[in-house]
Amino acid sequence: KAGMTHIVRDVDKPGSKLHKKEVVEPVTILEAPPMVVVGFVGYVETPRGLRALTSVWAGHLSEECKRRFYKNWHNSKQKAFTKYQKRWQEAGKDGTPMAAEVERAKKYCQVIRAICHTQVGKIKIGQKKAHLKEIQVNGGTTEKKVDFVMGLFEQEVKVDSVFSQDEMIDSIGVSKGRGFEGVVTRWGVTRLVRKSHRGLRKVACIGSWHPARVQFQVPRSGQNGYGHRTEINKKIYRIGKSIKDDPNNAVTENDLTEKAITPMGGFSHYGEVTDEFVMLKGTTPGIRKRLVTLRKSLLPQVSRKAVEKISLKFIDTSSKFGHGRFQTSEEKAKFFGGAVTKKAKTEAKAEEKAEA
């Protein structure tokens, strides 16, 4: 999660009072560099639920992926997967690597999940350890699923190959932690009267004499926030390309100012978005720099809101630190003037230095 901004668009909702009118809406920007597939896990269905039968890993794992298997990478011998790679190389000379495990998976498994990791080094948040996740592969027979995942080994999977514009998705994350909070903040109970004895931000009665215990339904003080949350039905307004592929990835048909999605001065407490990004309507759980998992919707999306086509008129890139007046630094320089003359002066100085 990089941060939030706002957009302007025309509403396409025949019969509504807002039809063909402009609305301003808040959006969240999530930076999403491609993920890498490094293995798969095969599960068999048992009466007690799924049981992992076998897992196959790719022949080469990047350093950021291996870091996930260590508490202290720099003090360790960094031996993870070295023997596995040797086996892979030896098997690769005379046949298909890990053939026995792959065959077992094809023969017995019902559920196949790809093991993918993020490329956390592409996002400048000072983290080097990749996040690992199993992602289920659906459709076709088990053999086809296994072959499909094996074909993706060590390949990058981009966000636009999974999600598309105007799609409704679910966002999963960990909410902002607020530490130890009292009942008024944590549960929204009413404060007591001003003259009440021994404090007023309390629950007056925490239960009857019998049962002689405090029931779990009674609001108590404790840890607030930092909980796992799934929010459903977030609409994708745009899937942006990386700066490398499209340096002006915040341009719309109506607003032709050449600008990237990063606001002036960067997203606060985050920095610049240089990789692919997903723009979701509204908010997502968690603070900036925190991981957000995006998931396909589990419900058939047929409402008017879900099927509406979105065309953005304007994406705001003014500074998110203070009252942003300008969309780009060029616009600011134009307004205040002096930037051109300053540039000329610095160039002249540079020339003088070069001559000297």
Side-chain angles (χ1 to χ4, degrees):
K1 178 169 173 173
M4 292 186 73
T5 181
H6 65 260
I7 56 103
V8 177
R9 69 179 183 96
D10 279 337
V11 176
D12 177 30
K13 216 177 197 184
S16 165
K17 285 189 174 160
L18 279 175
H19 184 47
K20 291 194 171 165
K21 287 196 169 55
E22 283 188 351
V23 289
V24 178
E25 289 176 328
V27 289
T28 304
I29 308 297
L30 304 172
E31 196 170 356
M35 290 182 78
V36 181
V37 181
V38 288
F40 74 82
V41 186
Y43 290 89
V44 285
E45 286 169 357
T46 69
R48 290 175 305 186
L50 293 175
R51 178 174 73 84
L53 178 77
T54 181
S55 56
V56 175
W57 293 81
H60 304 279
L61 267 64
S62 64
E63 188 196 288
E64 54 188 357
C65 177
K66 285 183 195 164
R67 275 174 183 269
R68 176 52 63 190
F69 307 118
Y70 288 94
K71 258 285 181 272
N72 190 337
W73 172 256
H74 134 90
N75 272 357
S76 68
K77 291 183 178 159
Q78 302 164 13
K79 290 291 224 183
F81 283 91
T82 46
K83 288 181 180 172
Y84 197 87
Q85 278 174 343
K86 275 210 184 89
R87 268 173 59 200
W88 186 274
Q89 283 162 358
E90 282 159 19
K93 288 171 193 167
D94 45 53
T96 54
M98 305 300 152
E101 295 303 319
V102 172
E103 283 312 308
R104 269 185 83 205
K106 285 182 179 178
K107 192 173 175 189
Y108 298 113
C109 293
Q110 284 86 31
V111 175
I112 301 292
R113 291 181 184 163
I115 302 171
C116 309
H117 75 77
T118 55
Q119 298 189 60
V120 80
K122 290 195 171 181
I123 293 180
K124 300 288 176 276
I125 57 172
Q127 190 178 334
K128 299 175 184 174
K129 190 182 285 194
H131 309 94
L132 271 175
K133 195 164 190 70
E134 288 180 15
I135 301 175
Q136 190 154 311
V137 178
N138 294 324
T141 59
T142 308
E143 290 91 48
K144 282 182 182 166
K145 288 179 195 173
V146 172
D147 292 337
F148 173 72
V149 179
M150 292 287 281
L152 285 175
F153 273 13
E154 298 174 33
Q155 305 289 321
E156 289 188 340
V157 177
K158 294 199 169 186
V159 69
D160 57 8
S161 63
V162 183
F163 300 112
S164 57
Q165 166 100 27
D166 303 333
E167 190 180 348
M168 296 291 260
I169 60 172
D170 303 343
S171 67
I172 304 165
V174 176
S175 61
K176 182 191 281 192
R178 294 180 177 82
F180 195 100
E181 293 271 29
V183 282
V184 175
T185 309
R186 192 176 183 220
W187 295 105
V189 301
T190 311
R191 293 183 329 167
L192 304 177
V193 290
R194 181 184 59 80
K195 295 177 75 172
S196 61
H197 188 43
R198 292 193 186 141
L200 49 83
R201 297 176 65 89
K202 289 173 173 285
V203 174
C205 171
I206 58 168
S208 53
W209 190 320
H210 289 294
R213 293 168 292 285
V214 179
Q215 292 179 302
F216 74 90
Q217 296 96 330
V218 179
R220 309 288 275 160
S221 54
Q223 166 68 30
N224 191 16
Y226 204 61
H228 191 271
R229 296 287 176 270
T230 304
E231 294 189 0
I232 64 169
N233 299 351
K234 305 278 177 196
K235 197 169 182 80
I236 296 180
Y237 273 12
R238 174 173 281 201
I239 293 181
K241 292 192 174 74
S242 61
I243 295 285
K244 199 166 74 237
D245 301 336
D246 180 12
N248 307 321
N249 54 17
V251 172
T252 62
E253 284 178 8
N254 297 53
D255 174 32
L256 296 174
T257 317
E258 293 188 347
K259 58 184 185 179
I261 192 70
T262 309
M264 286 182 68
F267 280 104
S268 60
H269 301 93
Y270 184 84
E272 295 181 357
V273 172
T274 51
D275 241 290
E276 283 121 56
F277 68 88
V278 180
M279 183 191 285
L280 294 183
K281 182 190 172 184
T283 58
T284 56
I287 54 167
R288 38 257 203 271
K289 294 187 185 171
R290 190 166 286 170
L291 191 71
V292 177
T293 308
L294 302 180
R295 181 183 72 188
K296 291 271 190 191
S297 178
L298 305 180
L299 309 164
Q301 295 291 350
V302 290
S303 67
R304 281 176 77 184
K305 212 172 247 178
V307 296
E308 186 181 353
K309 289 272 173 281
I310 302 293
S311 61
L312 303 181
K313 274 188 146 179
F314 166 76
I315 300 169
D316 181 61
T317 56
S318 64
S319 171
K320 302 288 159 228
F321 213 88
H323 302 275
R325 288 168 62 190
F326 306 105
Q327 294 298 318
T328 57
S329 44
E330 287 78 43
E331 191 184 314
K332 185 175 179 179
K334 208 175 191 180
F335 180 82
F336 284 118
V340 182
T341 51
K342 202 174 179 185
K343 194 178 177 190
K345 276 181 189 170
T346 49
E347 278 174 5
K349 270 189 183 173
E351 279 172 22
E352 279 172 27
K353 267 189 183 174
E355 282 165 14

